[in-house]
Amino acid sequence: MRTDLEMEKQLAAKEAVKFITDNQIIGLGTGSTAYYAIIEIGKLINTGLKIKAVPTSSKTRHLAASLNIPLLDIESVSSIDITIDGTDEFTEDLTLIKGGGGALFQEKMVASITTLLIIIADSSKKVDTLGKFKLPIEVSCSACENVMKEIQSLNGSSEIRKSSNIPFLTDQANYIIDADFD
Ligand SMILES: O=C(CO)[C@H](O)[C@H](O)COP(=O)(O)O
């Protein structure tokens, strides 16, 4: 059975896709919330919506391709009409932290050329002050040590994200540093 939070994610996704119209270029976010938006877009494609989409990760690319969503590489577009993506946490004034899923760099590239960025989230993501979720920072492996020293000089702590005991690599073969500034 789906939990309330899963239903909230799905509801947010359904609302977000209402902004999409024919012939737009759509940025597709990454994560378990963006997943629902991609599923909804797949359904709309099946009923005749004509859009092209730019994925923000290899995972999203595979999902979108499996739903027959026509895809473009970011290199081939200069602007994106609407991007729908998730967030790790957000405050009342709509500042947020994202990148927790490790697609930070591509998500930023897509967001930076997007006219309308729609961030969808369930209610568990709302916080009074940012920082409950560690701040993900995507860095070139060779810059990692210096960046971690820099974080320490700002009284923060940090660790390189691991997956199966080895450093997690992003789609760009970068590391993610998870930083904490309590
Ligand atoms: O920024 C992201 C991926 O890099 C995600 O949007 C963020 O981590 C939220 O993910 P989820 O919807 O699974 O909670």
Side-chain angles (χ1 to χ4, degrees), residues 33 85-90 95-99 119-121 125:
T33 317
D85 206 343
T87 182
D88 298 304
E89 57 182 28
F90 68 93
T95 51
L96 55 89
I97 287 180
K98 62 180 281 77
I119 299 293
I120 53 176
K125 302 289 181 65

Side-chain angles (χ1 to χ4, degrees), residues 152-167:
Q152 202 172 14
S153 77
L154 297 169
N155 294 324
S157 60
S158 63
E159 52 185 26
I160 298 171
R161 189 178 300 177
K162 300 255 170 59
S163 170
S164 307
N165 274 333
I166 55 167

